[in-house]
Amino acid sequence: MEARGPIPKRTKFTAPKIQEVLPSREALEAPGHGPPPSAHNQQPPPGAGEDEGSADRISNLPDTILGEIVSRLPTNQGARTQILAPRWRHIWSSAPLTIDCEGLPADNEVLAGIVSRTVSTHPPPCHRFCVPSCFLGDRASTVDKWLRTPALDNLQELEFWFKPYYRPQPLQHPPPSSMFRFSATLCVATIGNCNLPDSTVQGLHFPLLKQLGLELVSISECSLHSLIASCPAVECLLISHGFGFCCLRINSLTLRSFAVKNYRKGNDQLKELVVENAPCLQSLLHLDFDYGLHISVVSAPKLETLGCLSDGFYISKPDDLSRFVFGSTVIQEK
């Protein structure tokens, strides 16, 4: 058998950390950096007319298309496209900004530094801004500064997501008022881990909002109805771990999907849901197996999906059992 020499080791590629890729303010202001090329004065990259077999077809696309691709990537991956080639170096900084902290370091200090540096150096517009809702408590002033930066002008998607095990009760403070400066442009909004007082909800109007999520939010019954009514285009509504209301009445000409989930048994949580007028409603989901919910449907001609009833494991009183009324049909859990 012919002897073989030692097999050379493969070099392992390690992707750079996002802190190493995001440019600092000093780097952006340094001589020679300059603004990104204008979309109206784009030149094809070097080698665009070379042999088609070796050409980089993706890099040959216009800046506007590359920017749209990069803006749809997770934040850490979008920032790393700057090291692909000189052709890509300015794409991320000139593309619509997307900040999604779910893929970034979990340490709050590091995370806050990344977000602060990004919103202070990246030009507008911003498509999506998603940060942990715990920042609304211990970093409320920092969040307020982020929301007021020009980079977030005309924001379309705003999400303050929370982890249920992080804090068992909703925070008692309201969100910063700067959160609602995007009410005219928001299409998707998730508000989490805060208190929405009546004074905050009054006067709000979201003409373009199609998806609304309230997670671990304390809000009165009156304000909840007012908030839903202020979204004339809403199609998807999620209420998860809500406090401060026991009954919800749905009156929406555009709502297609509604889901609700309770966090624990309590006197200030949703117990009764009445769908009074929802001509487009197709899906009605009760995402809680532990506790029952009384649901009455008066008018929802397109309703196709209903789920689910509780499993009764934590139910001790008959009044807590799930009950569904659809016209003259009554479905009662035993």
Side-chain angles (χ1 to χ4, degrees):
M1 180 179 297
E2 182 179 356
R4 297 183 179 180
I7 300 176
K9 295 183 178 180
R10 296 182 178 180
T11 302
K12 183 178 180 181
F13 173 76
T14 302
K17 298 180 180 179
I18 189 170
Q19 297 96 317
E20 301 171 353
V21 178
L22 289 172
S24 63
R25 182 188 295 272
E26 292 77 9
L28 289 175
E29 295 176 352
H33 185 280
S38 170
H40 301 288
N41 187 27
Q42 298 178 12
Q43 299 294 330
E50 296 178 358
D51 180 26
E52 294 184 0
S54 60
D56 182 354
R57 296 182 181 274
I58 295 181
S59 295
N60 288 345
L61 294 173
D63 284 11
T64 52
I65 297 179
L66 293 179
E68 184 67 22
I69 295 174
V70 170
S71 67
R72 295 178 182 274
L73 295 174
T75 305
N76 54 347
Q77 297 181 16
R80 288 170 180 168
T81 59
Q82 298 175 98
I83 65 171
L84 292 177
R87 165 78 176 106
W88 290 81
R89 194 162 297 162
H90 70 276
I91 298 296
W92 184 78
S93 60
S94 60
L97 180 60
T98 295
I99 296 181
D100 192 338
C101 294
E102 291 195 66
L104 299 181
D107 181 84
N108 286 347
E109 289 290 341
V110 177
L111 186 58
I114 293 174
V115 175
S116 295
R117 187 162 69 251
T118 303
V119 298
S120 64
T121 57
H122 200 290
C126 182
H127 174 71
R128 173 177 169 81
F129 186 75
C130 173
V131 297
S133 59
C134 61
F135 280 11
L136 295 177
D138 50 6
R139 301 177 186 273
S141 59
T142 301
V143 172
D144 184 67
K145 292 180 181 179
W146 292 343
L147 296 176
R148 295 184 185 277
T149 56
L152 269 62
D153 290 349
N154 301 317
L155 185 66
Q156 297 180 26
E157 298 183 13
L158 175 63
E159 181 177 355
F160 287 95
W161 58 277
F162 84 106
K163 298 178 180 180
Y165 53 80
Y166 175 79
R167 196 181 293 267
Q169 297 288 340
L171 299 176
Q172 297 303 313
H173 58 75
S177 59
S178 54
M179 176 188 297
F180 302 108
R181 79 179 184 93
F182 315 106
S183 58
T185 58
L186 282 179
C187 297
V188 178
T190 299
I191 304 173
N193 211 5
C194 66
N195 173 39
L196 288 177
D198 296 343
S199 57
T200 300
V201 177
Q202 290 177 358
L204 291 179
H205 183 59
F206 301 90
L208 304 180
L209 194 66
K210 292 188 176 182
Q211 298 182 29
L212 173 63
L214 301 175
E215 301 184 346
L216 200 64
V217 168
S218 178
I219 184 173
S220 69
E221 191 171 304
C222 178
S223 291
L224 178 58
H225 289 135
S226 176
L227 180 60
I228 297 175
S230 69
C231 308
V234 66
E235 296 181 357
C236 299
L237 175 62
L238 169 66
I239 299 179
S240 178
H241 309 164
F243 294 80
F245 55 94
C246 296
C247 179
L248 173 61
R249 298 180 179 273
I250 299 294
N251 288 278
S252 173
L253 301 178
T254 58
L255 188 64
R256 298 178 181 273
S257 175
F258 174 71
V260 59
K261 178 177 175 62
N262 285 343
Y263 180 70
R264 60 170 176 79
K265 188 64 177 175
N267 295 326
D268 58 348
Q269 289 201 323
L270 184 64
K271 296 181 178 65
E272 182 180 7
L273 172 64
V274 182
V275 182
E276 294 184 340
N277 183 29
C280 295
L281 185 63
Q282 299 176 359
S283 176
L284 180 59
L285 303 177
H286 179 212
L287 304 177
D288 199 335
F289 286 96
D290 296 341
Y291 302 109
L293 180 67
H294 292 188
I295 302 175
S296 299
V297 178
V298 178
S299 177
K302 295 185 179 180
L303 185 61
E304 298 177 348
T305 304
L306 176 67
C308 60
L309 299 177
S310 67
D311 60 7
F313 185 79
Y314 289 96
I315 294 177
S316 58
K317 299 183 299 182
D319 291 342
D320 295 335
L321 294 171
S322 293
R323 187 170 184 266
F324 176 67
V325 179
F326 192 94
S328 59
T329 301
V330 179
I331 302 175
Q332 177 69 57
E333 181 186 15
K334 291 185 178 181

